[in-house]
Amino acid sequence: MGDASLPDAAPEPYLRSTDPEIMPWWLTWPEVDPARHPFDRASAPDVVRSLAPAASVPTRPPGRSGQDDVYQWGQRVGTRWADEMSVALVRHYGRWASGWRWGVGEADVGGGPVHAWCCPADSMGSPEQTLAVVTEALVEWRGWLEELVERFDRFLPLVTDDRADVALDAWERAVAHLVTVVVDRTCADGGWEHHCRQVLGWFLTLAGVPAERHASLVEHAIGGRFHSFMPPPDRLIREVAERFAAEVDRHAR
């Protein structure tokens, strides 16, 4: 009898996938290198609309994103659809495309460099609006990867010289520049330091440093020094760059 008077239990929220195939946290440089993965911006809107999830885009309910019914819809309906779209994009373009929803700060896949997408409650609307945002986010993510190529190329190949100070200076300038760029792009918001580590790892790959050494080199330089929601001062960026360069040089000699 008591059970009959109880309200229906709220459905469990859908938990965002952590499948590495559609989450960008573990992407390696070969998986994102624009030179290996062609992309035509002009055709991107048509490609997005042609994918299976585009035929069943859920419409976001009206109201503010923080409103309970909108938030719950985002958790239970929108996130499931975003995962399905991620799967479709990765199958079409390759693993690099998983970064389309790596939003700045506390997005559904947070700590990233993408400003066009935050989360379903904030970024979805009508089906047509949602597909336009997905396309914009995908193009923005690709643009970031292409920008990184240009920035990497400013320092590669790294200067090699028998004098330690010359080699150290080259590494220090490269690392300080890349950290500063990531801070700016991610707004040093929640989780930004993880993408910073990733970008430095990508640079190490292109510099010819063996992959098995990346984690220890980055940890030696950054470990405990960068924090969410805290843009590092120039002094700290220089310190990290110096530690990074010294550790690379120590292993190279």
Side-chain angles (χ1 to χ4, degrees):
M1 182 173 178
D3 290 343
S5 64
L6 292 175
D8 292 338
E12 290 295 320
Y14 172 78
L15 298 179
R16 184 205 64 225
S17 174
T18 56
D19 183 349
E21 284 302 305
I22 64 169
M23 288 295 114
W25 305 314
W26 302 282
L27 287 169
T28 64
W29 183 249
E31 291 173 321
V32 301
D33 182 0
R36 302 186 188 205
H37 306 283
F39 177 68
D40 176 28
R41 280 175 170 72
S43 67
D46 290 337
V47 168
V48 170
R49 286 194 294 268
S50 74
L51 299 175
S56 57
V57 186
T59 298
R60 177 191 182 278
R64 294 176 293 103
S65 60
Q67 197 171 297
D68 187 62
D69 61 329
V70 177
Y71 173 78
Q72 296 299 335
W73 175 89
Q75 292 292 97
R76 298 189 178 108
V77 179
T79 299
R80 184 187 300 275
W81 181 86
D83 277 357
E84 292 169 355
M85 178 54 80
S86 289
V87 170
L89 287 169
V90 166
R91 286 177 178 170
H92 182 87
Y93 285 115
R95 283 263 294 125
W96 72 266
S98 65
W100 73 272
R101 62 195 279 211
W102 201 357
V104 171
E106 297 181 300
D108 63 340
V109 182
V114 174
H115 292 251
W117 177 273
C118 173
C119 58
D122 275 307
S123 304
M124 295 180 71
S126 68
E128 193 59 33
Q129 289 170 331
T130 297
L131 295 177
V133 172
V134 171
T135 303
E136 181 183 358
L138 178 68
V139 170
E140 182 186 356
W141 167 246
R142 176 64 177 216
W144 170 238
L145 297 176
E146 293 172 356
E147 178 183 334
L148 285 175
V149 171
E150 187 275 326
R151 292 184 182 278
F152 292 159
D153 285 348
R154 296 182 191 184
F155 301 97
L156 295 171
L158 283 160
V159 175
T160 56
D161 195 287
D162 290 337
R163 293 173 299 168
D165 60 327
V166 174
L168 285 170
D169 180 67
W171 276 101
E172 287 172 16
R173 287 187 295 105
V175 171
H177 175 80
L178 294 173
V179 171
T180 300
V181 168
V182 173
V183 168
D184 181 66
R185 184 63 178 240
T186 62
C187 303
D189 214 322
W192 74 273
E193 66 275 17
H194 302 297
H195 186 47
C196 184
R197 288 170 176 264
Q198 184 180 47
V199 169
L200 292 176
W202 291 345
F203 184 71
L204 286 169
T205 296
L206 288 172
V209 177
E212 60 270 18
R213 288 177 47 205
H214 293 185
S216 62
L217 286 169
V218 174
E219 178 61 23
H220 175 82
I222 294 179
R225 291 173 176 81
F226 291 163
H227 304 283
S228 295
F229 308 108
M230 295 178 63
D234 291 344
R235 171 195 54 76
L236 181 56
I237 292 176
R238 287 194 301 271
E239 177 189 330
V240 165
E242 290 168 1
R243 291 176 61 86
F244 196 103
E247 189 69 1
V248 170
D249 184 68
R250 185 176 72 83
H251 283 275
R253 294 179 184 276

